[in-house]
Amino acid sequence: MSGYSSVFGKGLFKDQVILVTGGGTGIGRCIAHELASLGALVIIAARKLDQLNNTAKEIRLLGGRCETMTLNIRDPLQAQDLVNSLVAKHGKLTGLVNNAGGQFHSPASKMSPKGFATVVDLNLMGTFYLCKAAFEGYMGEYGGSIVNIVAECRNGFPGMVHTGAARAGIINMTKTLAVEWGPYNGIRINCVAPGLILSSGMKNYPEKVLDGFLDNSWLNPAGRMGTESEIASSVVFLLSPAASYINGINLPVDGASSLSKGDAKANSAHPSYNPAGSKMAPYIGWPQQGGEGDGGRGGRGVLKELDAPEPMMQLYAKYKSMAHKL
């Protein structure tokens, strides 16, 4: 199959049915592509069907299998109905990736109670509804693997207190469910916590915030931001048999930013990190010709890897050139 170039072996998820919420855009879209490239039947679900249809079309043109379903994760009945419907159709639900969510940038002092509650409801409650629906609809009897996408919030989340609180809740919930569900039903449930990632999600932030991301990207010990593919591959690992003895963890995928201390800019003569940029080549699974026409061969010309603000696209092009030098 020409197309997404996963670091994992082809056929890894043959005969598996995996649900990815928020699979139409950004990180969720990349996860769906990688899972499909490895043989899974991927079900992508979100509120906006047009974005889902575009991603499903891409996956099919590359030789993968993908179906779409509409879903508002804030509605527990919709979560139950969706799981029941896909199990009735396909006979199983072997994997679930809770990727759907969202937030907005705001100082805590300026945030309304409604804004706070909305983000907690979307991220924390929505994730719980899908986990519970998967348990009741299939995994409680047959087992399975769940990965919850959270955020790197180890040291708090200034500017996003609502999502920091919600994601911390998901991490603790994941640990609890691993203990409750693992011994009796064989369910594995883990988290992936992305750091600062080049993704279409960057379009949700004001220009001032994006400028800060760009200006400070080298303050990460890795010397760069992450890619969607690096999140997708971490999710794939946790869903795979390679992680069969891993349960209840939160895996930071952040270049060690959560471990860094102090300000690398404080001593400009001897900065702690590398202001010239990363020496760690990124993993990018999208085909090298992904954003360009290829005469229809293999369907690769339909792919647009990112839909991010232009400065982020420029940074992505730089990272991609680094990856292809390996």
Side-chain angles (χ1 to χ4, degrees):
M1 179 194 307
S2 64
Y4 197 94
S5 303
S6 177
V7 297
F8 299 96
K10 300 298 180 183
L12 178 62
F13 293 105
K14 181 182 178 182
D15 300 325
Q16 294 203 28
V17 178
I18 302 176
L19 170 63
V20 180
T21 67
T25 59
I27 290 172
R29 169 177 171 260
C30 191
I31 293 169
H33 266 278
E34 184 147 16
L35 289 170
S37 78
L38 297 170
L41 168 58
V42 182
I43 314 296
I44 53 176
R47 288 182 300 168
K48 297 180 180 180
L49 194 58
D50 56 341
Q51 295 173 334
L52 295 175
N53 287 337
N54 289 337
T55 296
K57 180 181 179 181
E58 292 172 351
I59 289 172
R60 293 174 192 138
L61 286 171
L62 293 174
R65 296 180 299 155
C66 184
E67 297 180 2
T68 64
M69 301 181 78
T70 55
L71 171 68
N72 178 358
I73 64 171
R74 296 169 63 186
D75 186 335
L77 294 180
Q78 282 194 33
Q80 284 182 329
D81 290 345
L82 182 144
V83 170
N84 291 339
S85 295
L86 72 86
V87 171
K89 181 176 181 180
H90 299 292
K92 54 188 167 183
L93 174 62
T94 54
L96 165 64
V97 181
N98 283 309
N99 169 75
Q103 56 272 321
F104 56 90
H105 189 271
S106 172
S109 61
K110 302 293 185 181
M111 189 172 297
S112 70
K114 182 178 180 181
F116 186 94
T118 297
V119 171
V120 170
D121 188 29
L122 176 65
N123 293 307
L124 176 57
M125 299 306 297
T127 298
F128 174 69
Y129 295 150
L130 264 295
C131 288
K132 192 168 187 289
F135 177 86
E136 294 177 343
Y138 183 83
M139 293 184 184
E141 183 174 357
Y142 300 102
S145 183
I146 300 172
V147 176
N148 297 323
I149 307 298
V150 287
E152 202 299 288
C153 55
R154 179 177 183 267
N155 297 322
F157 210 151
M160 295 196 190
V161 64
H162 46 8
T163 198
R167 308 296 187 168
I170 294 170
I171 293 168
N172 190 274
M173 178 183 72
T174 297
K175 296 175 181 179
T176 300
L177 296 182
V179 173
E180 287 194 13
W181 292 352
Y184 305 102
N185 303 289
I187 296 175
R188 293 189 303 103
I189 176 167
N190 295 290
C191 293
V192 167
L196 201 54
I197 305 298
L198 285 170
S199 175
S200 61
M202 290 288 179
K203 297 178 72 174
N204 297 326
Y205 301 115
E207 186 175 347
K208 184 178 180 180
V209 174
L210 294 179
D211 288 342
F213 291 160
L214 290 168
D215 185 49
N216 296 314
S217 61
W218 66 273
L219 296 178
N220 187 320
R224 63 173 175 85
M225 296 167 66
T227 70
E228 293 176 346
S229 298
E230 288 168 327
I231 304 304
S233 62
S234 301
V235 171
V236 169
F237 165 69
L238 289 173
L239 290 173
S240 79
S244 58
Y245 203 47
I246 298 176
N247 200 11
I249 72 159
N250 177 42
L251 175 63
V253 185
D254 64 359
S257 62
S258 57
L259 304 177
S260 61
K261 297 179 180 180
D263 184 354
K265 287 183 175 180
N267 186 347
S268 58
H270 302 285
S272 301
Y273 307 132
N274 180 14
S278 177
K279 293 185 180 297
M280 296 182 184
Y283 161 55
I284 297 176
W286 298 110
Q288 192 162 356
Q289 304 91 338
E292 303 169 359
D294 64 353
R297 297 186 298 277
R300 290 181 295 182
V302 305
L303 293 179
K304 182 177 181 181
E305 295 168 27
L306 295 182
D307 185 22
E310 185 56 33
M312 300 296 170
M313 295 298 296
Q314 294 174 12
L315 197 57
Y316 178 76
K318 177 182 176 181
Y319 292 170
K320 190 168 184 180
S321 68
M322 291 167 56
H324 290 142
K325 288 178 182 178
L326 291 180

